[in-house]
Amino acid sequence: MNNDQTIEYYQKRAREYDKIYFRNDSLRQAEIHYLYALSRRVLVGRDILDIACGTGFWTRIVSDAVQSVIGLDINSGTLEVAREKTYRCPVDFIEGDFLNIGQLPKKVNGLLATFVMSHIKRQDYGALKETIARHVPPGSPIFFCDNNLICEVKPELIPDEEGINTYKKRILENGEEYTILKNYFEADELKSIFSDWGEITDFYFRKYYWAVCVTLA
């Protein structure tokens, strides 16, 4: 799809983004709090790379459990918000593309990737695996999580011409509308993708969210 506006959308949404984690829905809150705890447990004591770190919301969530964080994001606007937050460990933020990660300021031995898998084309999963393997050593834990598809959203999805990826419309608080890449996954697809990365140590799949934790091969 030629009118993919994902990057621009998150640049414009930076000041609004964190509100999504505080929706007044008890089941949704129970699931997201489970993910908070799981991410801390899996990455405890690690020096981690947080790809597509956005506003630093999840960076802050894990900062009381990890040793240090390098937060990587392609958007200067979201990184501006991230740098305004306080963290419980040393954090460095750098601007860059997670599919083409350059030199990092220090070595890492863990990976955090929250709500980014759905914004990656399925054709690029191999490139994602390769770039992570160049920077995160074997035996390191990685944590991925993202949204599940709920029935209300299904009619909003727009398939691409190849029928591989899906897009949807998103509207900012000011009424501006954007078309963004947004893929959703069945449990079996997630297991198939991540079993190729290493050993799946935790797998969580509920109504609103999923999470996969892997020890890299």
Side-chain angles (χ1 to χ4, degrees), residues 101-116:
I101 302 172
Q103 184 70 32
L104 296 178
K106 60 180 290 186
K107 292 182 178 181
V108 298
N109 58 7
L111 179 84
L112 178 67
T114 56
F115 298 88
V116 62

mmCIF file with all atom_site columns, all heavy atoms in Angstrom, residues 101-116:
data_model
loop_
_atom_site.group_PDB
_atom_site.id
_atom_site.type_symbol
_atom_site.label_atom_id
_atom_site.label_alt_id
_atom_site.label_comp_id
_atom_site.label_asym_id
_atom_site.label_entity_id
_atom_site.label_seq_id
_atom_site.pdbx_PDB_ins_code
_atom_site.Cartn_x
_atom_site.Cartn_y
_atom_site.Cartn_z
_atom_site.occupancy
_atom_site.B_iso_or_equiv
_atom_site.pdbx_formal_charge
_atom_site.auth_seq_id
_atom_site.auth_comp_id
_atom_site.auth_asym_id
_atom_site.auth_atom_id
_atom_site.pdbx_PDB_model_num
ATOM 1   N N   . ILE A 1 101 ? 19.711 -1.492  12.167 1.00 0.00 ? 101 ILE A N   1
ATOM 2   C CA  . ILE A 1 101 ? 20.337 -0.927  13.364 1.00 0.00 ? 101 ILE A CA  1
ATOM 3   C C   . ILE A 1 101 ? 21.826 -0.719  13.126 1.00 0.00 ? 101 ILE A C   1
ATOM 4   O O   . ILE A 1 101 ? 22.540 -1.635  12.736 1.00 0.00 ? 101 ILE A O   1
ATOM 5   C CB  . ILE A 1 101 ? 20.121 -1.846  14.577 1.00 0.00 ? 101 ILE A CB  1
ATOM 6   C CG1 . ILE A 1 101 ? 18.614 -2.055  14.820 1.00 0.00 ? 101 ILE A CG1 1
ATOM 7   C CG2 . ILE A 1 101 ? 20.792 -1.268  15.824 1.00 0.00 ? 101 ILE A CG2 1
ATOM 8   C CD1 . ILE A 1 101 ? 18.307 -3.095  15.886 1.00 0.00 ? 101 ILE A CD1 1
ATOM 9   N N   . GLY A 1 102 ? 22.283 0.493   13.381 1.00 0.00 ? 102 GLY A N   1
ATOM 10  C CA  . GLY A 1 102 ? 23.703 0.793   13.248 1.00 0.00 ? 102 GLY A CA  1
ATOM 11  C C   . GLY A 1 102 ? 24.460 0.478   14.524 1.00 0.00 ? 102 GLY A C   1
ATOM 12  O O   . GLY A 1 102 ? 24.069 -0.376  15.318 1.00 0.00 ? 102 GLY A O   1
ATOM 13  N N   . GLN A 1 103 ? 25.539 1.193   14.736 1.00 0.00 ? 103 GLN A N   1
ATOM 14  C CA  . GLN A 1 103 ? 26.376 0.981   15.911 1.00 0.00 ? 103 GLN A CA  1
ATOM 15  C C   . GLN A 1 103 ? 25.629 1.402   17.181 1.00 0.00 ? 103 GLN A C   1
ATOM 16  O O   . GLN A 1 103 ? 25.116 2.520   17.258 1.00 0.00 ? 103 GLN A O   1
ATOM 17  C CB  . GLN A 1 103 ? 27.668 1.787   15.786 1.00 0.00 ? 103 GLN A CB  1
ATOM 18  C CG  . GLN A 1 103 ? 28.658 1.566   16.915 1.00 0.00 ? 103 GLN A CG  1
ATOM 19  C CD  . GLN A 1 103 ? 29.286 0.181   16.874 1.00 0.00 ? 103 GLN A CD  1
ATOM 20  O OE1 . GLN A 1 103 ? 29.467 -0.377  15.791 1.00 0.00 ? 103 GLN A OE1 1
ATOM 21  N NE2 . GLN A 1 103 ? 29.626 -0.351  18.025 1.00 0.00 ? 103 GLN A NE2 1
ATOM 22  N N   . LEU A 1 104 ? 25.582 0.528   18.168 1.00 0.00 ? 104 LEU A N   1
ATOM 23  C CA  . LEU A 1 104 ? 24.981 0.862   19.453 1.00 0.00 ? 104 LEU A CA  1
ATOM 24  C C   . LEU A 1 104 ? 26.040 1.421   20.391 1.00 0.00 ? 104 LEU A C   1
ATOM 25  O O   . LEU A 1 104 ? 27.219 1.071   20.289 1.00 0.00 ? 104 LEU A O   1
ATOM 26  C CB  . LEU A 1 104 ? 24.342 -0.380  20.084 1.00 0.00 ? 104 LEU A CB  1
ATOM 27  C CG  . LEU A 1 104 ? 23.164 -1.007  19.333 1.00 0.00 ? 104 LEU A CG  1
ATOM 28  C CD1 . LEU A 1 104 ? 22.677 -2.259  20.057 1.00 0.00 ? 104 LEU A CD1 1
ATOM 29  C CD2 . LEU A 1 104 ? 22.021 -0.006  19.172 1.00 0.00 ? 104 LEU A CD2 1
ATOM 30  N N   . PRO A 1 105 ? 25.653 2.282   21.331 1.00 0.00 ? 105 PRO A N   1
ATOM 31  C CA  . PRO A 1 105 ? 26.639 2.874   22.244 1.00 0.00 ? 105 PRO A CA  1
ATOM 32  C C   . PRO A 1 105 ? 27.241 1.890   23.237 1.00 0.00 ? 105 PRO A C   1
ATOM 33  O O   . PRO A 1 105 ? 28.271 2.173   23.843 1.00 0.00 ? 105 PRO A O   1
ATOM 34  C CB  . PRO A 1 105 ? 25.843 3.968   22.959 1.00 0.00 ? 105 PRO A CB  1
ATOM 35  C CG  . PRO A 1 105 ? 24.412 3.564   22.826 1.00 0.00 ? 105 PRO A CG  1
ATOM 36  C CD  . PRO A 1 105 ? 24.311 2.847   21.516 1.00 0.00 ? 105 PRO A CD  1
ATOM 37  N N   . LYS A 1 106 ? 26.613 0.734   23.431 1.00 0.00 ? 106 LYS A N   1
ATOM 38  C CA  . LYS A 1 106 ? 27.147 -0.287  24.339 1.00 0.00 ? 106 LYS A CA  1
ATOM 39  C C   . LYS A 1 106 ? 26.544 -1.633  23.964 1.00 0.00 ? 106 LYS A C   1
ATOM 40  O O   . LYS A 1 106 ? 25.578 -1.715  23.200 1.00 0.00 ? 106 LYS A O   1
ATOM 41  C CB  . LYS A 1 106 ? 26.818 0.052   25.796 1.00 0.00 ? 106 LYS A CB  1
ATOM 42  C CG  . LYS A 1 106 ? 25.326 0.138   26.082 1.00 0.00 ? 106 LYS A CG  1
ATOM 43  C CD  . LYS A 1 106 ? 25.042 0.470   27.539 1.00 0.00 ? 106 LYS A CD  1
ATOM 44  C CE  . LYS A 1 106 ? 25.400 -0.688  28.445 1.00 0.00 ? 106 LYS A CE  1
ATOM 45  N NZ  . LYS A 1 106 ? 25.007 -0.438  29.855 1.00 0.00 ? 106 LYS A NZ  1
ATOM 46  N N   . LYS A 1 107 ? 27.109 -2.689  24.505 1.00 0.00 ? 107 LYS A N   1
ATOM 47  C CA  . LYS A 1 107 ? 26.593 -4.023  24.239 1.00 0.00 ? 107 LYS A CA  1
ATOM 48  C C   . LYS A 1 107 ? 25.317 -4.278  25.044 1.00 0.00 ? 107 LYS A C   1
ATOM 49  O O   . LYS A 1 107 ? 25.140 -3.742  26.136 1.00 0.00 ? 107 LYS A O   1
ATOM 50  C CB  . LYS A 1 107 ? 27.648 -5.081  24.588 1.00 0.00 ? 107 LYS A CB  1
ATOM 51  C CG  . LYS A 1 107 ? 28.861 -5.065  23.659 1.00 0.00 ? 107 LYS A CG  1
ATOM 52  C CD  . LYS A 1 107 ? 29.837 -6.168  24.023 1.00 0.00 ? 107 LYS A CD  1
ATOM 53  C CE  . LYS A 1 107 ? 31.026 -6.175  23.065 1.00 0.00 ? 107 LYS A CE  1
ATOM 54  N NZ  . LYS A 1 107 ? 31.992 -7.257  23.388 1.00 0.00 ? 107 LYS A NZ  1
ATOM 55  N N   . VAL A 1 108 ? 24.463 -5.119  24.480 1.00 0.00 ? 108 VAL A N   1
ATOM 56  C CA  . VAL A 1 108 ? 23.221 -5.486  25.159 1.00 0.00 ? 108 VAL A CA  1
ATOM 57  C C   . VAL A 1 108 ? 23.133 -7.002  25.248 1.00 0.00 ? 108 VAL A C   1
ATOM 58  O O   . VAL A 1 108 ? 23.801 -7.722  24.504 1.00 0.00 ? 108 VAL A O   1
ATOM 59  C CB  . VAL A 1 108 ? 21.987 -4.922  24.428 1.00 0.00 ? 108 VAL A CB  1
ATOM 60  C CG1 . VAL A 1 108 ? 22.023 -3.407  24.396 1.00 0.00 ? 108 VAL A CG1 1
ATOM 61  C CG2 . VAL A 1 108 ? 21.874 -5.488  23.010 1.00 0.00 ? 108 VAL A CG2 1
ATOM 62  N N   . ASN A 1 109 ? 22.281 -7.483  26.151 1.00 0.00 ? 109 ASN A N   1
ATOM 63  C CA  . ASN A 1 109 ? 22.055 -8.929  26.265 1.00 0.00 ? 109 ASN A CA  1
ATOM 64  C C   . ASN A 1 109 ? 20.586 -9.242  26.560 1.00 0.00 ? 109 ASN A C   1
ATOM 65  O O   . ASN A 1 109 ? 20.262 -10.171 27.284 1.00 0.00 ? 109 ASN A O   1
ATOM 66  C CB  . ASN A 1 109 ? 22.970 -9.561  27.314 1.00 0.00 ? 109 ASN A CB  1
ATOM 67  C CG  . ASN A 1 109 ? 22.808 -8.944  28.697 1.00 0.00 ? 109 ASN A CG  1
ATOM 68  O OD1 . ASN A 1 109 ? 21.923 -8.117  28.927 1.00 0.00 ? 109 ASN A OD1 1
ATOM 69  N ND2 . ASN A 1 109 ? 23.658 -9.348  29.627 1.00 0.00 ? 109 ASN A ND2 1
ATOM 70  N N   . GLY A 1 110 ? 19.720 -8.429  25.973 1.00 0.00 ? 110 GLY A N   1
ATOM 71  C CA  . GLY A 1 110 ? 18.288 -8.636  26.085 1.00 0.00 ? 110 GLY A CA  1
ATOM 72  C C   . GLY A 1 110 ? 17.561 -7.693  25.146 1.00 0.00 ? 110 GLY A C   1
ATOM 73  O O   . GLY A 1 110 ? 18.124 -6.679  24.716 1.00 0.00 ? 110 GLY A O   1
ATOM 74  N N   . LEU A 1 111 ? 16.310 -8.030  24.807 1.00 0.00 ? 111 LEU A N   1
ATOM 75  C CA  . LEU A 1 111 ? 15.552 -7.222  23.852 1.00 0.00 ? 111 LEU A CA  1
ATOM 76  C C   . LEU A 1 111 ? 14.116 -7.050  24.316 1.00 0.00 ? 111 LEU A C   1
ATOM 77  O O   . LEU A 1 111 ? 13.465 -8.002  24.747 1.00 0.00 ? 111 LEU A O   1
ATOM 78  C CB  . LEU A 1 111 ? 15.541 -7.891  22.480 1.00 0.00 ? 111 LEU A CB  1
ATOM 79  C CG  . LEU A 1 111 ? 14.749 -7.135  21.408 1.00 0.00 ? 111 LEU A CG  1
ATOM 80  C CD1 . LEU A 1 111 ? 15.619 -6.046  20.781 1.00 0.00 ? 111 LEU A CD1 1
ATOM 81  C CD2 . LEU A 1 111 ? 14.213 -8.067  20.336 1.00 0.00 ? 111 LEU A CD2 1
ATOM 82  N N   . LEU A 1 112 ? 13.624 -5.818  24.193 1.00 0.00 ? 112 LEU A N   1
ATOM 83  C CA  . LEU A 1 112 ? 12.230 -5.483  24.465 1.00 0.00 ? 112 LEU A CA  1
ATOM 84  C C   . LEU A 1 112 ? 11.610 -4.956  23.181 1.00 0.00 ? 112 LEU A C   1
ATOM 85  O O   . LEU A 1 112 ? 12.167 -4.047  22.542 1.00 0.00 ? 112 LEU A O   1
ATOM 86  C CB  . LEU A 1 112 ? 12.161 -4.416  25.567 1.00 0.00 ? 112 LEU A CB  1
ATOM 87  C CG  . LEU A 1 112 ? 10.777 -3.896  25.971 1.00 0.00 ? 112 LEU A CG  1
ATOM 88  C CD1 . LEU A 1 112 ? 9.962  -5.004  26.648 1.00 0.00 ? 112 LEU A CD1 1
ATOM 89  C CD2 . LEU A 1 112 ? 10.909 -2.696  26.908 1.00 0.00 ? 112 LEU A CD2 1
ATOM 90  N N   . ALA A 1 113 ? 10.469 -5.509  22.775 1.00 0.00 ? 113 ALA A N   1
ATOM 91  C CA  . ALA A 1 113 ? 9.806  -5.094  21.536 1.00 0.00 ? 113 ALA A CA  1
ATOM 92  C C   . ALA A 1 113 ? 8.297  -5.107  21.774 1.00 0.00 ? 113 ALA A C   1
ATOM 93  O O   . ALA A 1 113 ? 7.650  -6.140  21.636 1.00 0.00 ? 113 ALA A O   1
ATOM 94  C CB  . ALA A 1 113 ? 10.181 -6.017  20.380 1.00 0.00 ? 113 ALA A CB  1
ATOM 95  N N   . THR A 1 114 ? 7.758  -3.952  22.158 1.00 0.00 ? 114 THR A N   1
ATOM 96  C CA  . THR A 1 114 ? 6.347  -3.879  22.543 1.00 0.00 ? 114 THR A CA  1
ATOM 97  C C   . THR A 1 114 ? 5.532  -3.154  21.481 1.00 0.00 ? 114 THR A C   1
ATOM 98  O O   . THR A 1 114 ? 5.880  -2.060  21.060 1.00 0.00 ? 114 THR A O   1
ATOM 99  C CB  . THR A 1 114 ? 6.194  -3.149  23.892 1.00 0.00 ? 114 THR A CB  1
ATOM 100 O OG1 . THR A 1 114 ? 6.796  -1.854  23.810 1.00 0.00 ? 114 THR A OG1 1
ATOM 101 C CG2 . THR A 1 114 ? 6.882  -3.933  24.998 1.00 0.00 ? 114 THR A CG2 1
ATOM 102 N N   . PHE A 1 115 ? 4.478  -3.801  21.033 1.00 0.00 ? 115 PHE A N   1
ATOM 103 C CA  . PHE A 1 115 ? 3.518  -3.211  20.103 1.00 0.00 ? 115 PHE A CA  1
ATOM 104 C C   . PHE A 1 115 ? 4.203  -2.683  18.837 1.00 0.00 ? 115 PHE A C   1
ATOM 105 O O   . PHE A 1 115 ? 3.863  -1.618  18.334 1.00 0.00 ? 115 PHE A O   1
ATOM 106 C CB  . PHE A 1 115 ? 2.696  -2.121  20.810 1.00 0.00 ? 115 PHE A CB  1
ATOM 107 C CG  . PHE A 1 115 ? 1.893  -2.685  21.945 1.00 0.00 ? 115 PHE A CG  1
ATOM 108 C CD1 . PHE A 1 115 ? 2.442  -2.782  23.217 1.00 0.00 ? 115 PHE A CD1 1
ATOM 109 C CD2 . PHE A 1 115 ? 0.622  -3.173  21.735 1.00 0.00 ? 115 PHE A CD2 1
ATOM 110 C CE1 . PHE A 1 115 ? 1.732  -3.351  24.263 1.00 0.00 ? 115 PHE A CE1 1
ATOM 111 C CE2 . PHE A 1 115 ? -0.114 -3.740  22.778 1.00 0.00 ? 115 PHE A CE2 1
ATOM 112 C CZ  . PHE A 1 115 ? 0.456  -3.829  24.045 1.00 0.00 ? 115 PHE A CZ  1
ATOM 113 N N   . VAL A 1 116 ? 5.148  -3.471  18.356 1.00 0.00 ? 116 VAL A N   1
ATOM 114 C CA  . VAL A 1 116 ? 5.838  -3.131  17.114 1.00 0.00 ? 116 VAL A CA  1
ATOM 115 C C   . VAL A 1 116 ? 5.651  -4.209  16.051 1.00 0.00 ? 116 VAL A C   1
ATOM 116 O O   . VAL A 1 116 ? 5.632  -3.908  14.864 1.00 0.00 ? 116 VAL A O   1
ATOM 117 C CB  . VAL A 1 116 ? 7.345  -2.888  17.370 1.00 0.00 ? 116 VAL A CB  1
ATOM 118 C CG1 . VAL A 1 116 ? 8.032  -4.130  17.913 1.00 0.00 ? 116 VAL A CG1 1
ATOM 119 C CG2 . VAL A 1 116 ? 8.039  -2.437  16.091 1.00 0.00 ? 116 VAL A CG2 1
#
